[in-house]
Amino acid sequence: MPENIVILTGAGLSAESGLGTFRDKDGLWTQYDLEEVATPEGFARNPTLVQDFYNARRANCRAATPNAAHHALARLARDYPGTVTLVTQNIDDMLERALRDASCTSDVIHMHGELARALCNACGHRWDAPAEMHADDPCPACGRAATRPDVVWFGEIPYHMEAIDTALSRATLFAAIGTSGEVYPAAGFVQIAREMGAHTVELNLDPSANVHIFDETRPGPATQTVPAWVN
Ligand code: BV8
């Protein structure tokens, strides 16, 4: 494997762990209006609806287990220390659990935040989210009822963009796994990697919106394509 690998993952990586995707048939955005549950405006209008949406996903996440694709990525990160940057749009902790199983201390860059974390809109305090969050929960630091899931909604600035841009600037290999290439800035990473001279590969069940930009595509379910690609 080359010396600097950036891997971007999306909901398709966790699909076979039973966690929903967004834009597939009966995906989350076919069941919920993303304007209502994944925007700050939607949260301001109906915080209970949004907290319940994330409480249900938090429960699903707790009941799920990492799949063969998560474990393959954990092995890759373990076997090539300091070489693999794992960037995910996902807010689940499947990759962290697979990394722990592989006794690998690599980080996961959650550019859209994490289900497991909570944020106070009033004072900016962050803490480990309880299993269930409610609209009037007081912030453990400032006491105000301004708490929310620590996730990045549409119109909000993704986390860790500087670290991601630095990794992309050094990439010799860029892989996108299980993402539709519909959401920016993540969908633009492949173009940046290409401009930096990286080889680019898409591992996806169906061709993404930006499949034409990739040098190589490996179609199929992640639990088959990712272990084959890693090995
Ligand atoms: C930003 C919250 C500025 C957490 C999510 C107008 C107004 C405001 C903004 C915009 C605008 N127009 C465009 C934008 C930008 C906007 C955007 O991109 N909108 C889109 C809809 C056009 N983006 C933003 O607002 C972002 N912020 O732009 O700030 C900025 C930018 C740069 C620098 C500074 C400032 C914020 C975006 C984050 C939004 N939050 N979710 C949560 O609830 O999870 S987005 C949501 O979509 C999820 O986070 C998800 O991760 C993300 C991407 O979806 P995918 O992961 O790709 O999932 P999807 O279902 O779409 O696809 C699944 C894929 O897997 C499919 O291709 C399928 O084939 C494949 N698959 C399925 N099963 C398998 C599989 N593959 C392999 N194996 C399988 N088994």
Side-chain angles (χ1 to χ4, degrees):
M1 278 277 181
E3 63 280 12
N4 270 314
I5 310 168
V6 175
I7 299 175
L8 171 70
T9 59
L13 178 71
S14 299
E16 291 162 273
S17 293
L19 298 181
T21 62
F22 293 89
R23 296 167 186 83
D24 288 332
K25 176 174 65 55
D26 53 355
L28 281 168
W29 294 156
T30 64
Q31 300 162 46
Y32 292 89
D33 175 354
L34 71 83
E35 293 294 334
E36 295 307 309
V37 293
T39 62
E41 297 78 10
F43 182 67
R45 275 193 298 274
N46 189 341
T48 299
L49 171 72
V50 176
Q51 293 286 21
D52 288 349
F53 172 65
Y54 287 97
N55 289 339
R57 290 176 66 191
R58 209 171 282 116
N60 287 345
C61 193
R62 266 201 318 278
T65 52
N67 62 49
H70 297 108
H71 289 303
L73 293 180
R75 284 197 306 277
L76 182 71
R78 179 196 61 201
D79 297 347
Y80 293 86
T83 296
V84 181
T85 302
L86 295 170
V87 181
T88 189
Q89 299 172 91
N90 299 339
I91 60 175
D92 63 57
D93 66 341
M94 296 296 115
L95 268 175
E96 282 87 345
R97 287 159 60 179
L99 288 162
R100 272 201 301 275
D101 292 349
S103 308
C104 177
T105 56
S106 287
D107 287 336
V108 178
I109 298 179
H110 282 273
M111 65 181 292
H112 291 166
E114 296 175 74
L115 262 179
R117 298 289 283 166
L119 168 65
C120 175
N121 265 341
C123 72
H125 178 61
R126 284 182 166 85
W127 66 100
D128 288 342
E132 295 233 333
M133 291 183 72
H134 307 99
D136 49 2
D137 288 347
C139 165
C142 74
R144 278 170 280 186
T147 60
R148 57 172 278 183
D150 188 13
V151 298
V152 176
W153 287 323
F154 287 99
E156 295 186 321
I157 297 176
Y159 295 158
H160 311 297
M161 286 305 295
E162 203 173 314
I164 295 168
D165 286 340
T166 302
L168 289 171
S169 69
R170 298 180 182 142
T172 52
L173 174 60
F174 175 83
I177 303 173
T179 180
S180 61
E182 301 273 358
V183 175
Y184 287 83
F189 292 169
V190 57
Q191 187 57 40
I192 297 170
R194 270 184 77 89
E195 286 161 7
M196 294 297 161
H199 176 74
T200 56
V201 54
E202 173 176 282
L203 297 90
N204 224 45
L205 190 62
D206 302 315
S208 72
N210 49 17
V211 65
H212 58 286
I213 302 177
F214 287 85
D215 298 310
E216 179 190 358
T217 59
R218 293 176 174 235
T223 55
Q224 292 171 24
T225 59
V226 179
W229 176 66
V230 165
N231 298 335

